[in-house]
Amino acid sequence: VYSRTTFTLCYTAAMLNVVAVDLGGTNLRAAYFPDDDPRPHSQTKTPTKAYEGPEAVVARIVRSIEELAPADRRELRIGVGVPGPLDPVAGVVFETPNLPGWLNVPLKQLLQDHCQAAVVIGNDANVAALGEWRHGAARGANDVLYLTISTGIGGGVITGGRLLLGVKGLAGELGHMLVDPDGAVCGCGQRGHLEAEAAGPAIARKFRERLAAGESSELTNRLNASAEISAADVGRAAEAGDPLARSVIEDAAQIIGRQLASLVHAFNPQVIVVGGGVSTLGPLLFEPMERALRNGIMHPAYLTDLKIVPAALGDDAGLIGAMVLAREI
Ligand SMILES: [Zn+2]
């Protein structure tokens, strides 16, 4: 169980069956991991309809658990990754920006009332960090920074072999650190956060701004036809060699790299894992990002044993992380 003062992860002696739940803005995925197996034996996936409130989502989760897990609940634990700030100790979700109607929802209690099993909830990026740490790109390391870059930027910090939670479980929001006081408004309402300057929507926005300012790209015709240009479009153009697309992505990568240098000073990690849709750009993102990190470091000793690696679990990081959350915490 969570405790406010200690958060040591330890393997329990008894075999544990887990239903892991990844509550995303688009899909609700659940998977059954029996007998300490790190691989799921069965899975369900249902769309998370935007209009559904917490009651409907809880009912969906309960249905998934009933489909996946055996009737005997004695050895069963439920781990849930939730997209939004939450208190993992109280089990209360403060809000979820992509799921309307979620405000101070006692998710842990609601689920425990319905499924007679112990429930652990965690912030989705923290949960993905646990997955990459135990079963993915950061296996074996004790000090890990995890960054996921997609529509937003989420993070997780493993320090000294423990997930950093903070007093209310709100630590590790690596996307909401200031990079430009005069920057764009962030999804959280503040201005100039990393997420607002370097996540997918920022890449698309900056690309459109530079086109509007007169620069040219192979995507110019699409903009003239008033089609929306997404970060994925910019990524594909960059992969095809479009100079403007490459420049916009390099700028975002540098912003992230400079911020990573600050994080390296704060946490002195052994591994930095970068995941999320934008990370699939590979070297187009990683090379300028790593260069900016190295250029911004205060002493080369930070870099001696530092590895910067792409996430290994892909879309399964949330599910596998929720399994780790349920089993080890
Ligand atoms: Zn923010």
Side-chain angles (χ1 to χ4, degrees), residues 90-115:
V92 173
V93 180
F94 295 129
E95 65 175 321
T96 50
N98 295 318
L99 298 168
W102 284 66
L103 204 63
N104 301 323
V105 174
L107 182 61
K108 176 180 169 163
Q109 194 59 54
L110 286 172
L111 285 174
Q112 280 182 176
D113 290 349
H114 282 96
C115 31

Side-chain angles (χ1 to χ4, degrees), residues 176 186 188 193:
H176 300 276
C186 185
C188 73
H193 284 174

